[in-house]
Short mmCIF file of all heavy atoms in Angstrom, two decimals:
data_model
loop_
_atom_site.label_atom_id
_atom_site.label_comp_id
_atom_site.label_asym_id
_atom_site.label_seq_id
_atom_site.Cartn_x
_atom_site.Cartn_y
_atom_site.Cartn_z
N LEU A 1 0.81 -1.14 0.08
CA LEU A 1 -0.06 -0.04 0.01
C LEU A 1 0.90 1.23 0.04
O LEU A 1 0.48 2.29 -0.34
CB LEU A 1 -0.94 0.04 1.28
CG LEU A 1 -2.10 -1.02 1.12
CD1 LEU A 1 -2.84 -1.04 2.38
CD2 LEU A 1 -3.07 -0.70 -0.03
N SER A 2 2.02 1.23 0.58
CA SER A 2 2.91 2.38 0.42
C SER A 2 3.35 2.70 -1.01
O SER A 2 3.52 3.77 -1.29
CB SER A 2 4.16 2.17 1.34
OG SER A 2 5.04 1.11 0.92
N GLY A 3 3.56 1.66 -1.73
CA GLY A 3 3.78 1.72 -3.09
C GLY A 3 2.66 2.27 -3.95
O GLY A 3 2.85 3.15 -4.79
N VAL A 4 1.43 1.98 -3.43
CA VAL A 4 0.24 2.60 -4.10
C VAL A 4 0.11 4.09 -3.81
O VAL A 4 -0.10 4.89 -4.77
CB VAL A 4 -1.00 1.91 -3.48
CG1 VAL A 4 -2.28 2.55 -4.11
CG2 VAL A 4 -1.04 0.44 -3.87
N VAL A 5 0.51 4.55 -2.55
CA VAL A 5 0.55 5.94 -2.14
C VAL A 5 1.48 6.71 -3.10
O VAL A 5 1.02 7.69 -3.60
CB VAL A 5 0.77 6.03 -0.74
CG1 VAL A 5 0.93 7.62 -0.39
CG2 VAL A 5 -0.24 5.49 0.18
N VAL A 6 2.69 6.20 -3.25
CA VAL A 6 3.69 6.91 -4.04
C VAL A 6 3.35 6.80 -5.57
O VAL A 6 3.68 7.68 -6.22
CB VAL A 6 5.08 6.28 -3.70
CG1 VAL A 6 6.18 6.95 -4.58
CG2 VAL A 6 5.44 6.36 -2.26
N ALA A 7 2.72 5.76 -5.94
CA ALA A 7 2.25 5.76 -7.30
C ALA A 7 1.35 6.95 -7.62
O ALA A 7 1.27 7.49 -8.68
CB ALA A 7 1.47 4.46 -7.65
N GLY A 8 0.41 7.24 -6.67
CA GLY A 8 -0.45 8.48 -6.68
C GLY A 8 0.27 9.67 -6.80
O GLY A 8 0.08 10.59 -7.66
N LEU A 9 1.50 9.71 -6.03
CA LEU A 9 2.37 10.93 -6.24
C LEU A 9 3.04 11.06 -7.50
O LEU A 9 3.30 12.00 -8.10
CB LEU A 9 3.34 10.86 -5.15
CG LEU A 9 2.87 10.96 -3.60
CD1 LEU A 9 4.09 10.85 -2.74
CD2 LEU A 9 2.15 12.25 -3.39
N VAL A 10 3.31 9.91 -8.24
CA VAL A 10 3.95 9.82 -9.56
C VAL A 10 2.85 10.42 -10.49
O VAL A 10 3.19 11.31 -11.42
CB VAL A 10 4.22 8.43 -9.97
CG1 VAL A 10 4.72 8.40 -11.44
CG2 VAL A 10 5.39 8.00 -9.14
N PHE A 11 1.59 10.10 -10.39
CA PHE A 11 0.66 10.74 -11.22
C PHE A 11 0.58 12.21 -11.01
O PHE A 11 0.45 12.93 -12.08
CB PHE A 11 -0.75 10.13 -10.86
CG PHE A 11 -1.13 8.89 -11.52
CD1 PHE A 11 -1.24 7.78 -10.84
CD2 PHE A 11 -1.56 8.83 -12.86
CE1 PHE A 11 -1.67 6.53 -11.33
CE2 PHE A 11 -2.02 7.78 -13.49
CZ PHE A 11 -2.03 6.58 -12.77
N LEU A 12 0.65 12.68 -9.81
CA LEU A 12 0.55 14.19 -9.53
C LEU A 12 1.80 14.86 -10.21
O LEU A 12 1.78 15.94 -10.80
CB LEU A 12 0.59 14.38 -8.07
CG LEU A 12 -0.73 14.01 -7.32
CD1 LEU A 12 -0.67 14.06 -5.99
CD2 LEU A 12 -1.95 14.95 -7.82
N ALA A 13 3.00 14.21 -10.17
CA ALA A 13 4.22 14.75 -10.68
C ALA A 13 4.14 14.81 -12.25
O ALA A 13 4.47 15.87 -12.81
CB ALA A 13 5.38 13.89 -10.31
N VAL A 14 3.58 13.75 -12.86
CA VAL A 14 3.43 13.85 -14.25
C VAL A 14 2.53 14.86 -14.67
O VAL A 14 2.68 15.62 -15.62
CB VAL A 14 2.92 12.51 -14.80
CG1 VAL A 14 2.69 12.47 -16.25
CG2 VAL A 14 4.03 11.37 -14.56
N ALA A 15 1.37 15.12 -13.92
CA ALA A 15 0.41 16.04 -14.21
C ALA A 15 0.99 17.58 -14.18
O ALA A 15 0.70 18.35 -14.88
CB ALA A 15 -0.77 15.89 -13.06
N GLY A 16 1.94 17.62 -13.10
CA GLY A 16 2.52 18.98 -12.92
C GLY A 16 3.43 19.23 -14.06
O GLY A 16 3.50 20.40 -14.65
N ILE A 17 4.16 18.13 -14.57
CA ILE A 17 5.11 18.36 -15.77
C ILE A 17 4.24 18.74 -17.06
O ILE A 17 4.71 19.68 -17.71
CB ILE A 17 5.96 17.07 -15.95
CG1 ILE A 17 6.90 16.97 -14.82
CG2 ILE A 17 6.60 17.20 -17.38
CD1 ILE A 17 7.50 15.43 -14.87
N ILE A 18 3.19 18.02 -17.25
CA ILE A 18 2.41 18.40 -18.32
C ILE A 18 1.75 19.80 -18.31
O ILE A 18 1.59 20.41 -19.23
CB ILE A 18 1.27 17.26 -18.57
CG1 ILE A 18 1.96 16.00 -18.94
CG2 ILE A 18 0.27 17.65 -19.65
CD1 ILE A 18 0.91 14.82 -19.01
N LYS A 19 1.43 20.13 -17.02
CA LYS A 19 0.96 21.46 -16.81
C LYS A 19 1.91 22.55 -17.21
O LYS A 19 1.54 23.59 -17.84
CB LYS A 19 0.48 21.70 -15.40
CG LYS A 19 0.06 23.22 -15.02
CD LYS A 19 -1.34 23.35 -15.62
CE LYS A 19 -1.95 24.63 -15.08
NZ LYS A 19 -3.13 24.89 -15.84
N LEU A 20 3.13 22.23 -17.01
CA LEU A 20 4.26 23.20 -17.30
C LEU A 20 4.45 23.27 -18.86
O LEU A 20 4.72 24.38 -19.42
CB LEU A 20 5.46 22.87 -16.57
CG LEU A 20 5.51 23.03 -15.04
CD1 LEU A 20 6.84 22.57 -14.47
CD2 LEU A 20 5.35 24.64 -14.74
N ILE A 21 4.58 22.08 -19.48
CA ILE A 21 5.13 22.04 -20.75
C ILE A 21 3.79 22.09 -21.81
O ILE A 21 4.02 22.32 -23.08
CB ILE A 21 5.82 20.70 -21.14
CG1 ILE A 21 4.88 19.48 -20.94
CG2 ILE A 21 6.98 20.65 -20.20
CD1 ILE A 21 5.66 18.19 -21.47
N GLY A 22 2.59 21.96 -21.37
CA GLY A 22 1.40 22.07 -22.03
C GLY A 22 1.02 20.77 -22.74
O GLY A 22 1.76 19.80 -22.58
N THR A 23 -0.11 20.67 -23.50
CA THR A 23 -0.64 19.39 -24.15
C THR A 23 -0.49 19.47 -25.70
O THR A 23 -0.95 18.60 -26.39
CB THR A 23 -2.03 19.23 -23.70
OG1 THR A 23 -2.72 20.37 -24.22
CG2 THR A 23 -2.19 19.00 -22.21
N GLY A 24 0.19 20.53 -26.18
CA GLY A 24 0.31 20.54 -27.57
C GLY A 24 0.99 19.29 -28.27
O GLY A 24 0.80 19.05 -29.41
N TRP A 25 1.92 18.83 -27.52
CA TRP A 25 2.75 17.63 -28.06
C TRP A 25 1.90 16.40 -28.30
O TRP A 25 2.28 15.67 -29.17
CB TRP A 25 3.83 17.29 -26.96
CG TRP A 25 3.25 16.93 -25.56
CD1 TRP A 25 2.91 17.85 -24.69
CD2 TRP A 25 2.86 15.72 -25.06
NE1 TRP A 25 2.51 17.25 -23.39
CE2 TRP A 25 2.40 15.89 -23.73
CE3 TRP A 25 2.86 14.29 -25.53
CZ2 TRP A 25 1.81 14.88 -22.89
CZ3 TRP A 25 2.38 13.42 -24.79
CH2 TRP A 25 1.91 13.57 -23.39
N ILE A 26 0.68 16.36 -27.62
CA ILE A 26 -0.11 15.21 -27.82
C ILE A 26 -0.74 15.11 -29.29
O ILE A 26 -0.73 14.09 -29.90
CB ILE A 26 -1.31 15.32 -26.81
CG1 ILE A 26 -0.81 15.08 -25.43
CG2 ILE A 26 -2.36 14.18 -27.11
CD1 ILE A 26 -1.98 15.16 -24.33
N ASP A 27 -1.05 16.30 -29.82
CA ASP A 27 -1.51 16.48 -31.18
C ASP A 27 -0.50 16.05 -32.17
O ASP A 27 -0.64 15.46 -33.19
CB ASP A 27 -1.96 17.78 -31.55
CG ASP A 27 -3.23 18.24 -30.82
OD1 ASP A 27 -4.09 17.31 -30.53
OD2 ASP A 27 -3.59 19.40 -30.82
N ARG A 28 0.85 16.33 -31.80
CA ARG A 28 1.99 15.98 -32.79
C ARG A 28 2.41 14.50 -32.73
O ARG A 28 2.63 13.96 -33.64
CB ARG A 28 3.21 16.71 -32.29
CG ARG A 28 3.05 18.30 -32.50
CD ARG A 28 4.39 19.09 -32.41
NE ARG A 28 4.95 19.02 -31.17
CZ ARG A 28 4.66 19.93 -30.11
NH1 ARG A 28 3.67 20.91 -30.49
NH2 ARG A 28 5.09 19.94 -29.05
N ILE A 29 2.32 14.03 -31.54
CA ILE A 29 2.68 12.52 -31.38
C ILE A 29 1.58 11.46 -31.51
O ILE A 29 1.82 10.31 -31.69
CB ILE A 29 3.59 12.08 -30.21
CG1 ILE A 29 2.63 12.32 -28.88
CG2 ILE A 29 4.73 13.18 -30.05
CD1 ILE A 29 3.46 11.75 -27.75
N LEU A 30 0.36 12.04 -31.34
CA LEU A 30 -0.86 11.19 -31.36
C LEU A 30 -1.68 11.58 -32.49
O LEU A 30 -2.77 12.31 -32.26
CB LEU A 30 -1.59 11.08 -30.05
CG LEU A 30 -0.71 10.42 -28.85
CD1 LEU A 30 -1.57 10.74 -27.59
CD2 LEU A 30 -0.52 8.99 -29.16
N PRO A 31 -1.54 11.27 -33.76
CA PRO A 31 -2.32 11.69 -34.86
C PRO A 31 -3.64 10.95 -34.76
O PRO A 31 -3.67 9.78 -34.15
CB PRO A 31 -1.59 11.36 -36.08
CG PRO A 31 -0.73 10.24 -35.68
CD PRO A 31 -0.27 10.52 -34.22
N PRO A 32 -4.76 11.19 -35.62
CA PRO A 32 -6.05 10.56 -35.55
C PRO A 32 -5.85 9.07 -35.90
O PRO A 32 -6.56 8.30 -35.17
CB PRO A 32 -6.78 11.26 -36.58
CG PRO A 32 -6.22 12.62 -36.65
CD PRO A 32 -4.77 12.43 -36.32
N VAL A 33 -5.10 8.65 -36.77
CA VAL A 33 -4.92 7.18 -37.16
C VAL A 33 -4.36 6.41 -35.94
O VAL A 33 -4.91 5.24 -35.77
CB VAL A 33 -4.15 7.06 -38.31
CG1 VAL A 33 -2.54 7.38 -38.15
CG2 VAL A 33 -4.21 5.54 -38.77
N LEU A 34 -3.51 7.05 -35.16
CA LEU A 34 -2.93 6.28 -33.94
C LEU A 34 -3.91 6.32 -32.82
O LEU A 34 -4.13 5.30 -32.19
CB LEU A 34 -1.71 7.02 -33.62
CG LEU A 34 -0.92 6.41 -32.26
CD1 LEU A 34 -0.72 4.96 -32.48
CD2 LEU A 34 0.42 7.13 -32.10
N ILE A 35 -4.53 7.47 -32.54
CA ILE A 35 -5.53 7.63 -31.58
C ILE A 35 -6.72 6.45 -31.75
O ILE A 35 -7.08 5.77 -30.90
CB ILE A 35 -6.18 8.89 -31.44
CG1 ILE A 35 -5.12 9.94 -30.82
CG2 ILE A 35 -7.31 8.87 -30.44
CD1 ILE A 35 -5.64 11.33 -30.90
N ALA A 36 -7.19 6.46 -33.05
CA ALA A 36 -8.30 5.57 -33.30
C ALA A 36 -7.89 4.09 -33.09
O ALA A 36 -8.58 3.23 -32.63
CB ALA A 36 -8.70 5.73 -34.85
N SER A 37 -6.57 3.81 -33.57
CA SER A 37 -6.07 2.39 -33.43
C SER A 37 -5.95 2.07 -31.89
O SER A 37 -6.29 1.00 -31.51
CB SER A 37 -4.76 2.40 -34.03
OG SER A 37 -4.79 2.56 -35.48
N ILE A 38 -5.57 3.06 -31.07
CA ILE A 38 -5.45 2.68 -29.59
C ILE A 38 -6.91 2.48 -29.04
O ILE A 38 -6.94 1.63 -28.15
CB ILE A 38 -4.66 3.90 -28.95
CG1 ILE A 38 -3.28 4.00 -29.40
CG2 ILE A 38 -4.78 3.74 -27.45
CD1 ILE A 38 -2.57 5.27 -28.86
N ILE A 39 -7.75 3.21 -29.56
CA ILE A 39 -9.15 3.01 -28.95
C ILE A 39 -9.62 1.83 -29.34
O ILE A 39 -10.33 1.05 -28.58
CB ILE A 39 -10.06 4.25 -29.58
CG1 ILE A 39 -9.66 5.56 -28.98
CG2 ILE A 39 -11.48 3.81 -29.30
CD1 ILE A 39 -10.46 6.61 -29.61
N ILE A 40 -9.28 1.25 -30.54
CA ILE A 40 -9.70 -0.17 -31.03
C ILE A 40 -9.06 -1.22 -30.16
O ILE A 40 -9.59 -2.15 -29.77
CB ILE A 40 -9.45 -0.24 -32.41
CG1 ILE A 40 -10.21 0.65 -33.37
CG2 ILE A 40 -9.48 -1.74 -33.01
CD1 ILE A 40 -9.86 0.63 -34.86
N VAL A 41 -7.72 -0.91 -29.85
CA VAL A 41 -7.03 -1.97 -29.07
C VAL A 41 -7.72 -1.90 -27.55
O VAL A 41 -7.75 -3.12 -27.01
CB VAL A 41 -5.51 -1.43 -28.84
CG1 VAL A 41 -4.85 -2.29 -27.86
CG2 VAL A 41 -4.83 -1.64 -30.22
N ILE A 42 -8.03 -0.88 -26.97
CA ILE A 42 -8.62 -0.85 -25.66
C ILE A 42 -9.95 -1.66 -25.78
O ILE A 42 -10.19 -2.44 -24.78
CB ILE A 42 -9.01 0.67 -25.25
CG1 ILE A 42 -7.66 1.45 -25.14
CG2 ILE A 42 -9.85 0.69 -23.95
CD1 ILE A 42 -7.89 2.88 -24.86
N GLY A 43 -10.79 -1.51 -26.86
CA GLY A 43 -12.04 -2.22 -26.87
C GLY A 43 -11.94 -3.69 -27.06
O GLY A 43 -12.30 -4.48 -26.38
N VAL A 44 -11.17 -3.94 -28.29
CA VAL A 44 -11.02 -5.42 -28.70
C VAL A 44 -10.04 -6.08 -27.72
O VAL A 44 -10.14 -7.35 -27.54
CB VAL A 44 -10.43 -5.41 -30.06
CG1 VAL A 44 -10.31 -6.92 -30.59
CG2 VAL A 44 -11.33 -4.65 -31.16
N GLY A 45 -9.07 -5.33 -27.12
CA GLY A 45 -8.18 -6.04 -26.21
C GLY A 45 -8.93 -6.51 -24.94
O GLY A 45 -8.41 -7.47 -24.36
N LEU A 46 -10.07 -6.02 -24.64
CA LEU A 46 -10.83 -6.53 -23.49
C LEU A 46 -11.76 -7.66 -23.98
O LEU A 46 -12.36 -8.08 -23.02
CB LEU A 46 -11.61 -5.35 -22.92
CG LEU A 46 -10.87 -4.23 -22.23
CD1 LEU A 46 -11.94 -3.00 -21.98
CD2 LEU A 46 -10.30 -4.80 -20.85
N SER A 47 -11.83 -7.86 -25.12
CA SER A 47 -12.82 -8.84 -25.65
C SER A 47 -12.58 -10.25 -25.15
O SER A 47 -13.48 -11.02 -24.88
CB SER A 47 -12.79 -8.89 -27.27
OG SER A 47 -11.49 -9.39 -27.75
N ALA A 48 -11.28 -10.65 -24.93
CA ALA A 48 -11.02 -11.88 -24.40
C ALA A 48 -11.59 -12.19 -23.00
O ALA A 48 -12.02 -13.29 -22.73
CB ALA A 48 -9.48 -12.20 -24.38
#
């Protein structure tokens, strides 16, 4: 459970970094074809 608590702090740290650098990079590294493919993986990956 101590690892779980610190995992939450990691989330907060990443959130802080993204707050500083912005979210514009998401559009550059995640084009529509990649986002759509990831969404398909999320849905079909749970099918089993």
Side-chain angles (χ1 to χ4, degrees):
L1 290 173
S2 69
V4 173
V5 173
V6 178
L9 298 178
V10 173
F11 274 109
L12 291 171
V14 174
I17 293 171
I18 295 176
K19 178 68 175 178
L20 290 173
I21 66 176
T23 58
W25 56 274
I26 295 178
D27 288 341
R28 292 192 293 273
I29 70 172
L30 293 173
V33 65
L34 179 53
I35 292 175
S37 299
I38 292 172
I39 293 173
I40 292 171
V41 169
I42 292 173
V44 181
L46 292 166
S47 63

